[in-house]
Amino acid sequence: MSSATTDRYVPAAGRAAFTGAYDAVLALTMRERRWRPLLAEAVLAGLPASATVVEVGSGTGTLAIALAGARPDAHILGVDGDEHAQALAQRTRGAERVEWRHGLAGELPLPDASADRVVMSLLLHHLGPAGKRAALTEAHRVLRPGGRLHIADWGRPADPLMRAAFFALQLIDGFDGTRDHAAGRLPGFVTDADFTGVQCHRRLHTVWGSLELLRAVRT
């Protein structure tokens, strides 16, 4: 999972040794079959012909490959700093439809105003406040005016049970990156990065807490 330069690098599964099991754990504990299609549907809604979609922190490539399969005309880029995860992604069926690039969320290897969509799935909670700001600033930079940012990540727990579940996740992933999510501050970070129309359009309960799907526009 890509990290900004101001943060400790964190692999997709939190620890490099767990990367190979990441997809299986995600499917088992996080209702992935429910929220991944909802995220992909939101990303693809109104997508122009021959558009460019960038997934930042593409990990083992599940979402990027699904997007490429759904829209063969689009240019799908998967950017991640974890070479092991990218190697796994590139061995997955359909990976040839995606362009894979090595890079960090805070230093995207892309020109200004070159993307129509930027997607960050379970990335930002690995980053501390400065890392979140850097990643969102980079997303704003690479998006064209009118382009959209899509985020799937943890939000404020909806009830005491979800709060207890999220506390267990914080013990695993650390408190520096997750503290703002527990307080419901992620939409504010997006707004502060000069995005408009920030909206949580889905909220799902999982084993680990409340997962939110956010979208915003680069004006």
Side-chain angles (χ1 to χ4, degrees), residues 30-45 63 66-67 117 119 121 148-152 200-206 211-215:
M30 289 189 52
R31 299 179 64 190
E32 185 188 20
R33 291 183 181 178
R34 174 64 175 158
W35 67 263
R36 285 279 196 203
L38 290 173
L39 177 59
E41 179 184 352
V43 171
L44 297 175
L63 179 62
L67 293 171
R117 302 283 189 273
V119 191
S121 173
R148 295 208 307 254
L149 171 68
H150 292 271
I151 297 170
C200 174
H201 60 96
R202 294 280 183 169
R203 184 176 288 108
L204 298 92
H205 288 186
T206 78
L211 185 74
E212 295 183 342
L213 304 188
L214 308 178
R215 59 188 172 207

Side-chain angles (χ1 to χ4, degrees), residues 104-153:
L104 301 178
E107 299 176 345
L108 293 177
L110 300 166
D112 295 355
S114 59
D116 298 281
R117 302 283 189 273
V118 170
V119 191
M120 296 178 174
S121 173
L122 295 175
L123 165 69
L124 292 171
H125 75 277
H126 287 298
L127 308 178
K132 286 178 174 58
R133 294 186 189 99
L136 292 167
T137 296
E138 277 292 271
H140 189 277
R141 178 184 68 79
V142 303
L143 277 166
R144 299 185 177 101
R148 295 208 307 254
L149 171 68
H150 292 271
I151 297 170
D153 219 310

